[in-house]
Amino acid sequence: MAPYESDDAVGAARDEDPRSGRRKAARYAVPVAVVGVAAATIGLVPALADSGDPDLPRISAQQLLNKIAKSDVQQLSGTVKISTDLGLPDLGGLEKGLLSGAGRGGSGDDSADPQAKLTELVTGTHTLRVAADGPDRQKLSLLESGAEYSLIHDGKDVWGYDSKSNQVHHSTAAGSGKDRRAEPPATPEDFAAEALKSVDDTTSVTVDGTAHVAGRDAYKLLIQPRQSGTTVGAISIAVDAKTGLPLKFTLTPKSGGAAVLDAGFTQVSFARPAASTFDFTPPKGAKVTEDHDGAKAPEHAPGHGGGLAGGLEGKGGPKVLGKGWTSVATFDTGAQGGLPNGSRGGDLGGFLGSLGEKVSGKFGKGTVFSTRLVNALITDDGKVYAGAVTKDALVKAADAEK
């Protein structure tokens, strides 16, 4: 293996936005309610990296960041494996219901609605097929046992199709290249772009050797927080040596153990997909739901989507406390009494409370919900504090607000 520079390129992201100078290879209309969870909870099957490291030319961290920033892959197709290991308790599938709820409209009848369907990526292991041909044509298919869910973006149309229920969800993209109300990560490139936003003077960035991923030679970029108080241990991004496209993304927690968030190609091609890949006509007999209000939905509204998230919906957008990896997002639900009660019967607040840890401080009293990465504090006066930080950091942030 050729030698590599291990320089801290903390200024790279400030000098050049990793998304500038290129158009994203793939954008998908995935539920925005999942962004905060999925972007911090996806983990990958270790077998994606081949054995034996390729011998590639020497490169610095700054040069590798520039290579990612200048990447302009317009056509691709391939298979991505995604799995999640947040360390959540086994609720027998109830956790999916709490996250997805009943969709945006409060009805569980539209199984093809991406807002509800793709929350499944938050738990378990999944296989996705992806394809892209420029900024206005993409397809993502979630493969299930005996069924398939597809999300197709073709020009101004965005189609969701659930083969199991034979239901179709149709919306219109609110601008060129995407549905602006929902643009969370779906591929290693997407996850890498989100992670690189955090690169600043609180971050160490180095080149950590090379790897084979999906039959491609790649450099490994290692991102590590310099701050204490964060639950993030390290982020590793395998970057295609030829195109600069991130091929694999792995996030490990500071507590150690298996990856919490990791996504990678098992197969990838940069040839132009067939035009028919993006064609879609609702099958005969399918129930079609038209989404006329989707483009008006707020892009980052807390709690957008029903279920647990909807129960925590705030009066306004969240604000961010702190800097870098220890930053905490907070918003006011406007509901006194802390945890919400279920609108469909039962004491949801009592159930959720049994899963959390009671805490107190200058802010008053509240409940902390912990995972291996993302933690959240809900105070008894209805405020929410959340981030990839420790319990003590959440309490400190809440105290500082008083």
Side-chain angles (χ1 to χ4, degrees):
M1 182 192 308
Y4 295 92
E5 297 182 16
S6 295
D7 53 336
D8 292 338
V10 296
R14 294 194 299 270
D15 297 336
E16 182 168 5
D17 188 327
R19 282 184 168 178
S20 65
R22 66 182 176 89
R23 296 184 297 273
K24 291 180 64 55
R27 297 178 185 269
Y28 304 103
V30 187
V32 75
V34 182
V35 181
V37 181
T41 60
I42 307 294
L44 171 47
V45 179
L48 295 184
D50 301 332
S51 60
D53 298 332
D55 187 7
L56 297 173
R58 179 189 180 107
I59 192 171
S60 70
Q62 177 73 65
Q63 290 170 329
L64 189 52
L65 285 169
N66 291 341
K67 192 177 189 70
I68 297 172
K70 294 176 181 177
S71 179
D72 190 27
V73 174
Q74 292 294 301
Q75 291 86 33
L76 67 77
S77 59
T79 303
V80 175
K81 278 206 171 182
I82 295 177
S83 62
T84 305
D85 186 5
L86 265 182
L88 293 170
D90 184 3
L91 303 179
L94 179 59
E95 68 278 8
K96 294 181 182 179
L98 290 172
L99 288 167
S100 62
R104 292 191 310 274
S107 169
D109 294 337
D110 186 3
S111 66
D113 184 353
Q115 290 278 356
K117 184 62 180 179
L118 292 183
T119 54
E120 293 181 12
L121 296 180
V122 178
T123 61
T125 299
H126 305 275
T127 299
L128 304 175
R129 286 186 184 143
V130 299
D133 184 7
D136 294 316
R137 305 182 83 189
Q138 301 91 33
K139 181 176 181 179
L140 178 151
S141 294
L142 172 60
L143 307 183
E144 303 171 309
S145 178
E148 180 175 318
Y149 177 81
S150 294
L151 195 57
I152 305 102
H153 174 207
D154 186 10
K156 64 183 180 65
D157 294 310
V158 178
W159 300 94
Y161 175 59
D162 182 12
S163 68
K164 186 175 182 178
S165 64
N166 197 28
Q167 293 190 31
V168 175
H169 185 92
H170 177 242
S171 61
T172 301
S176 176
K178 62 178 179 177
D179 177 349
R180 293 187 186 278
R181 66 187 172 92
E183 189 195 348
T187 69
E189 181 190 19
D190 297 328
F191 287 113
E194 292 297 318
L196 290 174
K197 291 178 182 178
S198 301
V199 175
D200 57 16
D201 56 4
T202 67
T203 310
S204 168
V205 184
T206 59
V207 178
D208 189 33
T210 64
H212 286 293
V213 179
R216 306 279 301 185
D217 291 348
Y219 293 102
K220 294 192 295 183
L221 187 71
L222 183 64
I223 301 173
Q224 295 175 297
R226 284 179 164 145
Q227 296 170 299
S228 61
T230 179
T231 55
V232 176
I235 293 173
S236 178
I237 303 172
V239 182
D240 187 64
K242 185 175 181 179
T243 67
L245 180 76
L247 298 174
K248 179 183 177 184
F249 179 95
T250 305
L251 189 157
T252 53
K254 183 171 287 187
S255 59
V260 169
L261 189 150
D262 207 57
F265 283 98
T266 58
Q267 181 275 328
V268 65
S269 169
F270 297 109
R272 182 187 295 273
S276 59
T277 301
F278 311 100
D279 292 341
F280 181 79
T281 300
K284 183 178 181 180
K287 176 185 176 182
V288 180
T289 300
E290 293 287 344
D291 183 356
H292 298 292
D293 300 322
K296 299 178 182 179
E299 191 164 336
H300 296 292
H304 180 66
L308 172 58
L312 302 179
E313 189 167 327
K315 294 178 178 178
K319 65 177 180 179
V320 178
L321 308 174
K323 176 185 178 183
W325 299 89
T326 57
S327 61
V328 173
T330 180
F331 62 91
D332 192 342
T333 67
Q336 295 292 324
L339 296 175
N341 288 319
S343 59
R344 291 185 293 274
D347 183 5
L348 179 59
F351 171 72
L352 294 176
S354 68
L355 301 177
E357 178 183 351
K358 299 297 182 181
V359 294
S360 61
K362 295 179 182 178
F363 69 88
K365 297 182 179 180
T367 306
V368 171
F369 298 92
S370 299
T371 72
R372 297 178 64 221
L373 191 72
V374 180
N375 296 322
L377 164 63
I378 303 177
T379 68
D380 285 355
D381 61 359
K383 292 183 179 179
V384 176
Y385 299 85
V389 298
T390 63
K391 177 190 71 175
D392 291 342
L394 286 177
V395 172
K396 184 178 179 180
D399 283 343
E401 282 269 275
K402 291 297 181 181

